Amino acid sequence: MIYAPNMEEQIMTFPVNGVHLTREPYDPYDCGRTKCRVTLDNLSVRSSGAYKCEVSGDAPAFPIVYESSNMTVIALPRQDPVISGLGYRYEIGDFVVANCTSDISFPPALINWYINDMKVPGEWVQTQREHITEADGFRLYSRSLELKFRLHKGIFGENNSRVKLKCVSHIREVPKAIKESVATIHVPSMDELTNQKLITWRSSGSSTFQSSSHHIVSIFLSIMATLFSSSRCEFISTLTVNRFNL
């Protein structure tokens, strides 16, 4: 674009691939004798590059001064990372394996794992995996990072039965572009395990008692039926003998 205040056509534009000046209802130009500002829209990967502002004077010297700056168009992740692979229940000594997958972005996001808000040691994470998708001219990256560690008492914080896992993805070039997800692992304490065992034992004992009671009742009814059957046979035999005696 050229701005020449002394010419009849003060502003002239030229087509450049990937560079689109904002159209109505917005005014894309804000130019005067001391400054000139343009507004772009529909940015794409082709909009990235070096932008140069040049100011030249009139004849006969035509002095020229200029400044340039680089602009890079990026695609930020829209969704929080996804934590997957966790089990339903854990106990002390179990291995915990979890996976964190970031949303697509350009440039690729950096992923970090935290346990109870403390960054995990490097040996607890596996090699990062990467998946690439093409969209709107961008190479969009999604990354996955696996966490693996053994549960032990020293890993718990103030809450002795819960461990908070947090996955954070961020773009290095944009410090404020941070996405995170949290998952909680519940580890029963010894008291909880003891109570659960007592409840299980009582339930089992109650079932055994009910089963035994039903068995005793069945035996009793069987004996009564046998006695009744024997008495009936004796009674019939007596009637038969008496009938013959008559």
Side-chain angles (χ1 to χ4, degrees):
M1 188 199 84
I2 295 177
Y3 171 66
N6 296 329
M7 297 179 62
E8 182 177 351
E9 187 178 357
Q10 293 185 339
I11 296 177
M12 293 179 288
T13 60
F14 307 91
V16 178
N17 189 20
V19 178
H20 306 278
L21 296 175
T22 303
R23 298 181 178 180
E24 298 295 341
Y26 305 100
D27 183 4
Y29 316 114
D30 181 13
C31 294
R33 291 188 175 274
T34 58
K35 66 176 182 178
C36 190
R37 183 180 66 184
V38 295
T39 304
L40 307 180
D41 63 8
N42 295 325
L43 297 178
S44 68
V45 67
R46 296 182 181 85
S47 305
S48 299
Y51 286 76
K52 179 180 178 181
C53 175
E54 182 180 285
V55 179
S56 61
D58 292 332
F62 295 104
I64 297 176
V65 293
Y66 65 88
E67 289 287 344
S68 64
S69 182
N70 187 71
M71 183 182 76
T72 302
V73 179
I74 63 177
L76 298 179
R78 297 182 179 180
Q79 306 295 329
D80 291 331
V82 177
I83 296 176
S84 60
L86 287 173
Y88 177 73
R89 176 177 170 177
Y90 294 92
E91 295 182 6
I92 297 296
D94 289 346
F95 270 104
V96 177
V97 179
N99 191 67
C100 177
T101 303
S102 67
D103 192 19
I104 54 175
S105 65
F106 174 81
L110 302 177
I111 300 177
N112 289 303
W113 276 104
Y114 295 83
I115 297 179
N116 294 332
D117 296 322
M118 299 291 292
K119 191 174 180 179
V120 302
E123 59 268 22
W124 289 13
V125 295
Q126 309 302 309
T127 303
Q128 192 167 243
R129 299 187 302 274
E130 193 170 80
H131 177 72
I132 302 176
T133 303
E134 298 281 347
D136 298 327
F138 284 95
R139 287 173 63 87
L140 300 175
Y141 298 82
S142 174
R143 285 180 169 177
S144 297
L145 186 63
E146 185 180 83
L147 171 68
K148 184 177 181 180
F149 66 97
R150 185 189 292 272
L151 280 174
H152 56 86
K153 292 183 179 180
I155 208 169
F156 295 93
E158 296 179 356
N159 192 326
N160 293 328
S161 63
R162 295 184 185 276
V163 177
K164 185 176 76 171
L165 303 181
K166 181 169 67 175
C167 172
V168 178
S169 67
H170 69 281
I171 306 297
R172 180 180 297 165
E173 291 78 3
V174 186
K176 293 184 179 180
I178 298 176
K179 297 288 185 179
E180 64 179 50
S181 294
V182 175
T184 302
I185 295 176
H186 175 65
V187 181
S189 63
M190 293 302 297
D191 291 339
E192 290 177 318
L193 289 174
T194 302
N195 291 336
Q196 289 177 5
K197 289 180 179 179
L198 285 174
I199 293 172
T200 303
W201 178 80
R202 288 173 179 172
S203 299
S204 176
S206 176
S207 299
T208 303
F209 174 76
Q210 291 178 0
S211 177
S212 300
S213 300
H214 292 160
H215 185 61
I216 292 171
V217 171
S218 298
I219 293 174
F220 176 75
L221 291 176
S222 177
I223 293 173
M224 291 297 294
T226 302
L227 291 175
F228 176 77
S229 177
S230 300
S231 300
R232 186 169 178 272
C233 289
E234 291 178 0
F235 177 71
I236 292 174
S237 299
T238 303
L239 288 177
T240 304
V241 171
N242 291 336
R243 181 179 299 174
F244 279 109
N245 291 335
L246 291 175

